Amino acid sequence: MAANNPKLFASSKPHVLVLISTLLLLRGRVITGPRDLLRNLSRVGFNKDLSPSELTEALQQLYVEEPDGTRQLLVPFRNSISKVPIHPTPGALFSSHRPHFPLLPPAAQNKPNVDRAFLRQLLAILRIAFPSYRSPEAGIVLVHSTFLVLRTVLSVGVAKLDGKIVKALVSADGRGFLRGLGLWFLLAIPSTYTNSMIRHFQSLLSLRLRTRLTRYTHDLYLSSDPHLRYYRISGQGGVDGVDQYITSDIASWADSLSGLYGNILKPFLDLTLFTSQLSRTLGARGTALLFLNYYITARILRAVTPAFGRLAAVEARLEGEYRAGVGRVGREAEEVAFYDGGQREREILWRAYLRLIKHVNSIFKIRIAYEWTEDYVIKYLWSAAGYCLISIPILFTRHHSVGVQASPRTTSSEVNNAVADRTENYISSRRLLLSLADAGGRLMYAYKDILELAGLTTRLYALLSSLHNLPPLPTPSPANSSNPRIALDNVDVSIPASGTRDAPLVKALSLSLCEGEHLMITGSNGVGKTAVARVLAGLWAPGNEGEGKVQRPHRGEVFVVPQRAYMVTGSLLDQIIYPHTYPQFARSGRTTEDLMEILEAVHLSYLPTREGGWATRKEWRDVLSGGEKQRMAMARVFYHKPKFAILDECTSAVSSDVEGQMYEHAKSLGITLITISLRPSLAKYHTQLLTLSGEGTGNWTLARIGTAEARMGIDREIGLLQSKLKEVERWERRVKELEVLLGPQDVTPAY
């Protein structure tokens, strides 16, 4: 009989489609489930557990370099090793992206908004996040979109099925009610699975976007010579708190974008399909009023929406300032403890935290009025509009059957069918309207999310544009490989600055050093000694770029040792070979015996025994003393054996006898020394003496040690010391007098 009833066959057609889709979904899980389980079991069975020594070796090695330049990162996991491929970002990709990242004016950074500038910034960042339509991120978006469309289709099916179940109840059709209830439970399987997969792929998309942007930013930020962006971004780039941008802002941007995609596409599909379904019931007038409701709602909410983008950008900046303050206390804990400055630092941190909390509280207060208006419009105004729209086909159509007002010739079954049909239409339309109101609410909420995304996009774009537009340092004139030398010709040494140029610290400096000609730079504090070292090392460009000329070997042949020794995160072996890695050390053919000889040269041979071996990993910044850290920095010089070594007060915490032995050892290795120091005792290890006058004049003198001019300077120092020695007898007499005054006194007690 069903086959002869076209209406019944048409009404059961959606149920058949739901049943087929559910069976296909379950079939895929049933088929692939055991296969995936067997694959996982086979992996577990064939993955050999590594011994602690093998795990330590893998942690020490860190990565395996492939012939194509790809690195397989070794990650210990559950007594085994997982390999994660790391593909370096090619320089050509940075060059192709640079035109899309022009610098932002300062005003645009403080006033993010949803406009053409925001779209241009977002598209520029999306070029990085989605490098091609074949990328994994694009595939995740495609699968995510498929589940979003499926969820909307299932929502329409749920609304129709809801109406049919209620119709069966009104009609007292027990068989139809049980059939509808069975289809309801059957439809719940793909619906719940689809909801779970939507959340899963949203989280997966966020993670992939964060990983892609983080790798790109790391490669751009931690660039090597001649860019050195990590060194110059705060000064010349004008960007502070880069750690906040990389660790927090990228993650927030990825979460915001991945969530916004679902919050826009799904409601938009709901609005389209639900409106299409309702138009069949509401008619032309009801559909027109429905679109009028959309327009009025959008205008009201747009008028009352605050500048969430600007508020989000300010919140991220204040969060970065508070985070930087906490990090500063951690880095400078010892110095703060010496001054007992805990209370003062607490006041500084608390002030930064209060600024953040005050801003967050202001956002909460602004949201009260906005969310009150939004909830009123979306929940209650839309619900009232929905009831009015449902009533249109009943109250305003010319020909309609009231159902309960039956004529004498109307049978009771016809009356019941009319009531049931009307109830079915009402329930289906009401569910669709409720879903429509929910979709409209999420679209209105999405506008607020877009404003917050605009603020995060502006911050992230500001970082990337500043990194892209940092010009590379000028390439020095190449030195002759057979006779390497460092030479400055009429170079002004000035502090690099963006926009302003101050008077040079040193004017028109000219010098030339070949191998074996050791230079000592001296002068009072603040005259620019370290600034000269930075120019020699290539960290600073000449202040008179274009006029002054710098000639030096490539960076691998010039090694700089600062006064504050840097201890890298890693093992004891890593401290000596830095910046080399363990694979480079293994390829060099050197052994730990060679490293022990280096430690003996710097009087640190006891460290491997004291600290537990070469593979011991500690926070070496806190473990080693100041003198040990400076001697470890000298050990790096002896390991790398550069042509030139620039030593910037790097032995100030080392005793004079050990200092002299290290200088002699460096010279025996053929290392040409450029020393910045105020110790006259180091002059004997050098052949030239550069003295900076200071006092804002920028004057300097260069003399060869051992000449009449240098001897005259030494004679003056000897005369000064001799004049002080003449006062020794008087000082000794005064010391004896003070000892008598401070000695025990014979006090006779009074009776």
Side-chain angles (χ1 to χ4, degrees):
M1 182 176 179
N4 298 328
N5 191 347
K7 183 176 181 181
L8 180 60
F9 178 77
S11 64
S12 62
K13 190 174 181 180
H15 302 158
V16 175
L17 293 177
V18 171
L19 179 61
I20 293 175
S21 64
T22 304
L23 291 177
L24 289 175
L25 181 62
L26 291 176
R27 176 181 177 273
R29 297 299 296 172
V30 170
I31 291 177
T32 61
R35 185 174 58 198
D36 295 340
L37 180 61
L38 289 175
R39 185 183 297 114
N40 293 334
L41 289 175
S42 65
R43 289 176 180 175
V44 173
F46 287 100
N47 260 354
K48 180 181 70 173
D49 287 346
L50 301 180
S51 63
S53 60
E54 290 174 328
L55 287 174
T56 303
E57 181 71 16
L59 189 61
Q60 179 73 51
Q61 186 172 356
L62 192 61
Y63 68 87
V64 176
E65 191 167 357
E66 302 293 340
D68 60 351
T70 303
R71 294 183 176 183
Q72 297 286 343
L73 193 65
L74 304 180
V75 182
F77 179 71
R78 293 182 179 177
N79 296 328
S80 62
I81 297 297
S82 299
K83 293 184 178 181
V84 180
I86 303 296
H87 303 277
T89 305
L93 184 62
F94 291 144
S95 301
S96 64
H97 286 171
R98 189 174 298 115
H100 302 287
F101 286 91
L103 285 173
L104 283 178
Q109 298 183 24
N110 298 325
K111 295 182 179 180
N113 204 351
V114 180
D115 50 15
R116 294 181 61 183
F118 160 67
L119 294 178
R120 179 177 57 81
Q121 297 167 16
L122 183 62
L123 288 176
I125 299 176
L126 289 179
R127 291 176 182 272
I128 304 171
F130 297 92
S132 69
Y133 66 91
R134 294 182 178 179
S135 62
E137 293 80 7
I140 293 173
V141 170
L142 179 61
V143 178
H144 189 205
S145 303
T146 303
F147 278 104
L148 289 173
V149 173
L150 180 60
R151 184 69 188 92
T152 301
V153 174
L154 290 173
S155 298
V156 175
V158 168
K160 291 184 177 180
L161 185 58
D162 193 11
K164 292 184 180 299
I165 292 175
V166 176
K167 175 183 178 181
L169 284 175
V170 174
S171 303
D173 184 4
R175 181 177 298 178
F177 173 75
L178 292 177
R179 183 172 60 251
L181 197 61
L183 290 174
W184 179 273
F185 284 111
L186 195 61
L187 190 61
I189 297 175
S191 298
T192 54
Y193 179 77
T194 301
N195 290 334
S196 300
M197 295 308 295
I198 287 175
R199 290 190 294 268
H200 169 71
F201 281 106
Q202 178 177 328
S203 301
L204 186 60
L205 178 61
S206 174
L207 186 60
R208 290 291 307 187
L209 292 177
R210 180 182 182 182
T211 302
R212 176 79 67 177
L213 282 172
T214 300
R215 285 186 178 178
Y216 184 92
T217 308
H218 281 178
D219 292 343
L220 183 63
Y221 175 62
L222 298 171
S223 55
S224 57
D225 186 63
H227 296 283
L228 302 178
R229 296 184 179 94
Y230 59 91
Y231 173 71
R232 303 159 57 215
I233 185 65
S234 297
Q236 294 175 261
V239 178
D240 296 325
V242 178
D243 55 340
Q244 172 73 14
Y245 286 90
I246 296 178
T247 59
S248 180
D249 289 350
I250 290 180
S252 300
W253 184 88
D255 290 339
S256 178
L257 183 66
S258 59
L260 186 63
Y261 175 74
N263 291 336
I264 289 181
L265 180 61
K266 176 64 168 60
F268 180 77
L269 291 173
D270 289 349
L271 285 174
T272 303
L273 293 181
F274 294 163
T275 303
S276 175
Q277 292 292 325
L278 284 172
S279 63
R280 301 174 184 177
T281 305
L282 301 179
R285 285 177 293 184
T287 304
L289 291 175
L290 187 63
F291 281 103
L292 179 62
N293 181 45
Y294 295 161
Y295 176 76
I296 294 174
T297 302
R299 290 301 301 267
I300 292 174
L301 293 182
R302 184 177 179 85
V304 300
T305 301
F308 284 113
R310 190 182 311 172
L311 295 173
V314 174
E315 181 181 358
R317 178 176 59 81
L318 294 177
E319 189 79 39
E321 292 178 359
Y322 176 65
R323 182 174 185 167
V326 176
R328 184 188 67 252
V329 175
R331 290 191 306 270
E332 312 294 340
E334 185 176 19
E335 288 79 0
V336 173
F338 282 148
Y339 289 107
D340 191 19
Q343 185 173 357
R344 173 61 176 151
E345 294 297 330
R346 182 180 62 186
E347 293 174 356
I348 296 174
L349 288 180
W350 187 246
R351 188 181 301 112
Y353 179 74
L354 287 180
R355 285 200 301 268
L356 172 63
I357 295 304
K358 183 178 179 180
H359 178 73
V360 173
N361 284 330
S362 66
I363 295 178
F364 291 161
K365 293 177 182 178
I366 292 173
R367 282 181 174 175
I368 291 176
Y370 172 74
E371 292 177 355
W372 177 84
T373 306
E374 188 176 45
D375 288 345
Y376 182 83
V377 171
I378 298 300
K379 292 183 179 179
Y380 297 98
L381 186 60
W382 274 47
S383 297
Y387 285 118
C388 295
L389 292 174
I390 292 174
S391 67
I392 289 177
I394 299 176
L395 301 178
F396 297 99
T397 53
R398 294 182 180 179
H399 303 286
H400 59 273
S401 174
V402 179
V404 293
Q405 297 175 351
S407 63
R409 291 177 295 178
T410 304
T411 64
S412 60
S413 61
E414 291 177 349
V415 172
N416 291 335
N417 288 334
V419 173
D421 290 339
R422 185 166 297 167
T423 304
E424 178 186 1
N425 291 333
Y426 169 75
I427 294 298
S428 299
S429 299
R430 185 175 183 275
R431 177 174 281 273
L432 288 175
L433 279 170
L434 290 176
S435 300
L436 197 64
D438 179 68
R442 281 184 287 144
L443 272 182
M444 298 303 111
Y445 282 121
Y447 181 69
K448 178 195 68 176
D449 296 336
I450 291 175
L451 290 175
E452 294 181 354
L453 178 65
L456 294 171
T457 300
T458 300
R459 280 183 58 84
L460 188 54
Y461 181 89
L463 172 66
L464 293 174
S465 62
S466 298
L467 290 173
H468 271 296
N469 287 277
L470 271 178
L473 291 167
T475 303
S477 303
N480 189 355
S481 58
S482 60
N483 185 23
R485 60 196 293 263
I486 289 181
L488 302 180
D489 183 14
N490 194 33
V491 170
D492 285 349
V493 179
S494 303
I495 300 175
S498 55
T500 60
R501 174 168 294 184
D502 299 328
L505 300 172
V506 183
K507 295 180 180 178
L509 178 60
S510 298
L511 58 87
S512 178
L513 292 176
C514 296
E515 284 190 277
E517 295 184 348
H518 310 284
L519 174 68
M520 180 174 177
I521 304 175
T522 187
S524 58
N525 293 327
V527 297
K529 300 186 296 296
T530 302
V532 173
R534 290 166 181 159
V535 173
L536 294 175
L539 299 183
W540 285 7
N544 54 344
E545 189 176 349
E547 301 177 6
K549 296 181 180 179
V550 180
Q551 182 179 358
R552 61 178 176 83
H554 62 81
R555 183 167 293 276
E557 295 184 354
V558 180
F559 203 89
V560 182
V561 184
Q563 181 179 7
R564 188 173 181 178
Y566 172 67
M567 297 291 107
V568 66
T569 300
S571 64
L572 178 61
L573 185 145
D574 292 329
Q575 308 310 310
I576 303 176
I577 67 175
Y578 184 80
H580 283 182
T581 59
Y582 184 81
Q584 291 175 304
F585 168 73
R587 288 197 301 267
S588 67
R590 298 190 183 185
T591 62
T592 54
E593 287 76 11
D594 299 328
L595 300 183
M596 182 59 73
E597 292 179 0
I598 294 175
L599 290 184
E600 290 175 353
V602 295
H603 297 261
L604 291 177
S605 57
Y606 57 86
L607 278 184
T609 303
R610 188 187 78 179
E611 302 300 337
W614 295 102
T616 303
R617 304 175 70 88
K618 295 183 178 180
E619 191 62 46
W620 299 105
R621 181 188 61 184
D622 302 327
V623 171
L624 302 181
S625 66
E628 288 175 334
K629 286 187 283 190
Q630 288 191 343
R631 283 180 281 164
M632 183 63 73
M634 290 297 295
R636 293 174 187 165
V637 178
F638 300 156
Y639 171 81
H640 291 282
K641 296 180 182 178
K643 298 293 184 181
F644 297 86
I646 302 175
L647 312 179
D648 185 5
E649 297 277 4
C650 66
T651 55
S652 58
V654 180
S655 61
S656 299
D657 55 339
V658 175
E659 181 184 50
Q661 295 174 19
M662 291 192 298
Y663 269 80
E664 291 290 355
H665 185 69
K667 295 176 68 174
S668 67
L669 295 176
I671 302 173
T672 301
L673 303 176
I674 302 175
T675 303
I676 299 174
S677 179
L678 296 176
R679 291 186 177 182
S681 59
L682 293 178
K684 60 184 177 182
Y685 302 107
H686 302 81
T687 57
Q688 297 188 53
L689 179 65
L690 175 63
T691 304
L692 305 182
S693 302
E695 298 179 357
T697 61
N699 296 332
W700 53 274
T701 57
L702 180 64
R704 182 169 293 275
I705 296 178
T707 61
E709 184 179 359
R711 285 197 300 270
M712 185 179 300
I714 296 175
D715 290 340
R716 284 197 299 267
E717 185 175 357
I718 292 175
L720 180 61
L721 293 176
Q722 287 177 346
S723 63
K724 292 182 178 180
L725 288 175
K726 293 179 181 179
E727 304 291 332
V728 170
E729 294 181 359
R730 184 173 62 84
W731 291 344
E732 289 178 348
R733 289 195 301 269
R734 181 57 181 167
V735 168
K736 292 179 180 180
E737 293 175 358
L738 293 175
E739 289 177 349
V740 171
L741 293 175
L742 296 176
Q745 302 293 329
D746 185 12
V747 179
T748 303
Y751 294 97

